[in-house]
Amino acid sequence: MFKQKKTKSAKRFGWLAIIISSLTCFIVGGGIVFLFMNHQLQEAEATNQSLGKISTVYSALYNNYYKKVSRTKLVNGALTGMVNSLGDPFSEYMSKSETESLSNTISSSFTGIGAEVQKSGSHIEIISPIKGTPAEKAGLKARDIIEKINNKSINGYSLNKAVSLIRGKKGTNVTLTIKRGSETFTKTIKRDTIPVKTVNGKIVKGHPTVGYVQVSTFSENTAKEFKAELKNLQKKGAKSFIIDMRDNPGGLMDQALKMSSIFVKNNKVLLRVQQRTGAQQVYRAGKKFDGGYKIKGKTVVLINSGSASAAEIFSAALHQSAGDQLIGTKSYGKGTVQNTMPFNDQTELKMTIAKWLTPNGDWINHKGLQPTIKADYPSYAYQTAIDTKKTYQQGQVSGQIKKLQILLNALNYNSGQANGYFSDQTVAAVKKFQQANGLNATGQADAQTVNKLEEKIAAQISQHDDAYQTAIKALN
């Protein structure tokens, strides 16, 4: 009987424990739900209060401002202001025309000067001039600050407003006032059609098994063009490759993944994308990206300060996951990912949504990628452009004349010591240059002479490309 009673008592206690436990779980669970809902309600209330304040300011301005104001202007101003408060040059609210401009840049040709730009504080800064475009031919460089467009200050302008002023009809001119370091100069640039083709290649002269591929930007068809060019060069005998990512401002991330996977063994990391929570999405090489097409020959990548964004994703993947060398100078350092949110009125919000990390987990933002072999253009390649608003002549002394002398000497027109004094020897050198290039031999350096001089220097720089020559040696 005792054992039996003990058993009944134990059963009663067991059921009671289950009931109490269930109630406890319900209470604890209910508490968690309550806390979560309470947090959500608090967030909603805070949001409503903020929106209420915005609505009040909007109504006050629209109804009581001393003169009539556009609803669209107020709404766009509020949206732009919110995005600008982030202090992120890569996040922006874009109008309909600005959205179309971005779409054209990614998917089709457009007319302009061919320079990728960004907002940097209150300034508009050049990320990189695209190879072969008017901007590159005019000598614009990464990190140049555009202070004026057509002699009008653009301080405080939105990025897209500045871009819309720079772009225009093919054959028309735009005058930019550029600040580079402590110097300021003016360049008048003729707008042209910026080419859709983003990939060019060739067999390196004197090296029949070395293919050279230059990528100017990452647009919708870049990976397709890239693969086609690689196959074309292989048919011509290429077994190793130089991939030139210099002055490539980046573009679409998916194109960089498709292209880098070609050189990286399957399942090796190409890229890590880190969300605000810290969670990472890891992208690995494989058929999903490269379609089963692989390059197994030795490859090197050329980079410089104009290599940004997707160009850095590609370069980092080949360096860290395929062991390929980076040759050149430190890259730009853009380590964030943007996405666009379209609206029914054809405007868009472009917003930074994540960080991207290299295969090794490095965040290169503002740091850039360091080359394994440093090599660069000759020093005169970094000579700042000469201001073409003035004509320089005998007897004058200035820093602009010193730059003129440096370039003349680099082209073997002996202008004497580069000291900024326009001497008899400088006059003779200018005349000799003008005669050799079909210009009126006045001995004075006018805008036409300066532009031709800089054009000749650009051509010579490409023939004295130490990074390119270093890459050939590395492959051989």
Side-chain angles (χ1 to χ4, degrees), residues 79 92-95 99 102 338-353:
L79 294 170
E92 57 185 314
Y93 170 72
M94 299 182 293
S95 66
T99 299
L102 176 64
Q338 284 71 42
N339 204 348
T340 56
M341 179 187 294
F343 299 104
N344 291 333
D345 61 356
Q346 295 182 310
T347 61
E348 283 187 353
L349 171 64
K350 187 173 79 165
M351 176 174 56
T352 298
I353 57 168

Side-chain angles (χ1 to χ4, degrees), residues 99-145:
T99 299
E100 288 174 353
S101 177
L102 176 64
S103 178
N104 288 339
T105 301
I106 292 172
S107 62
S108 62
S109 66
F110 59 93
T111 56
I113 65 170
E116 182 80 5
V117 294
Q118 70 170 17
K119 191 79 184 287
S120 178
S122 61
H123 302 296
I124 303 298
E125 180 182 271
I126 293 175
I127 296 176
S128 176
I130 298 171
K131 198 78 173 175
T133 62
E136 194 240 1
K137 291 174 182 176
L140 300 188
K141 304 287 185 184
R143 303 192 188 278
D144 281 351
I145 300 293

Side-chain angles (χ1 to χ4, degrees), residues 110-117 126-142 144 146 166 172 174 176 178 180 185 187-195 247 249 381 385 451 454-455 458:
F110 59 93
T111 56
I113 65 170
E116 182 80 5
V117 294
I126 293 175
I127 296 176
S128 176
I130 298 171
K131 198 78 173 175
T133 62
E136 194 240 1
K137 291 174 182 176
L140 300 188
K141 304 287 185 184
D144 281 351
I146 302 174
I166 294 171
T172 59
V174 60
L176 304 182
I178 303 293
R180 183 181 296 165
F185 56 92
K187 297 298 291 184
T188 297
I189 305 171
K190 185 177 285 189
R191 298 180 178 102
D192 200 353
T193 300
I194 306 307
D247 296 320
N451 288 334
E454 291 180 342
E455 181 186 316

Side-chain angles (χ1 to χ4, degrees), residues 376-396:
D376 204 359
Y377 294 111
S379 60
Y380 58 80
Y382 295 97
Q383 172 68 59
T384 55
I386 300 167
D387 192 340
T388 53
K389 287 177 102 176
K390 298 178 181 178
T391 295
Y392 307 99
Q393 54 193 318
Q394 188 173 15
Q396 292 180 341

Side-chain angles (χ1 to χ4, degrees), residues 82-254:
M82 275 194 286
V83 179
N84 287 349
S85 71
L86 300 171
D88 177 5
F90 302 108
S91 293
E92 57 185 314
Y93 170 72
M94 299 182 293
S95 66
K96 181 181 176 181
S97 62
E98 292 165 345
T99 299
E100 288 174 353
S101 177
L102 176 64
S103 178
N104 288 339
T105 301
I106 292 172
S107 62
S108 62
S109 66
F110 59 93
T111 56
I113 65 170
E116 182 80 5
V117 294
Q118 70 170 17
K119 191 79 184 287
S120 178
S122 61
H123 302 296
I124 303 298
E125 180 182 271
I126 293 175
I127 296 176
S128 176
I130 298 171
K131 198 78 173 175
T133 62
E136 194 240 1
K137 291 174 182 176
L140 300 188
K141 304 287 185 184
R143 303 192 188 278
D144 281 351
I145 300 293
I146 302 174
E147 292 196 326
K148 295 179 182 179
I149 299 174
N150 293 329
N151 299 317
K152 185 176 180 180
S153 173
I154 60 167
N155 187 45
Y157 276 32
S158 71
L159 177 64
N160 286 291
K161 185 175 181 180
V163 169
S164 68
L165 293 173
I166 294 171
R167 289 187 179 179
K169 290 183 179 180
K170 180 179 178 179
T172 59
N173 291 332
V174 60
T175 300
L176 304 182
T177 301
I178 303 293
K179 184 177 182 182
R180 183 181 296 165
S182 60
E183 293 193 67
T184 301
F185 56 92
T186 300
K187 297 298 291 184
T188 297
I189 305 171
K190 185 177 285 189
R191 298 180 178 102
D192 200 353
T193 300
I194 306 307
V196 177
K197 188 178 180 183
T198 59
V199 179
N200 289 289
K202 65 180 181 180
I203 294 293
V204 175
K205 189 176 180 180
H207 302 272
T209 62
V210 179
Y212 167 83
V213 182
Q214 180 191 63
V215 185
S216 62
T217 188
F218 287 78
S219 297
E220 285 181 348
N221 295 316
T222 300
K224 185 178 178 181
E225 290 178 31
F226 186 68
K227 185 182 287 188
E229 189 58 54
L230 289 172
K231 288 181 177 180
N232 176 50
L233 292 174
Q234 283 181 316
K235 285 180 182 177
K236 292 179 178 179
K239 291 181 171 50
S240 57
F241 292 91
I242 300 167
I243 311 298
D244 195 344
M245 288 288 164
R246 291 177 298 178
D247 296 320
N248 184 321
L252 300 175
M253 185 180 84
D254 69 317

Side-chain angles (χ1 to χ4, degrees), residues 416-432:
Q417 186 180 354
N419 56 10
Y421 173 63
F422 207 116
S423 65
D424 291 343
Q425 195 169 352
T426 304
V427 172
V430 170
K431 281 185 177 180
K432 190 175 180 182

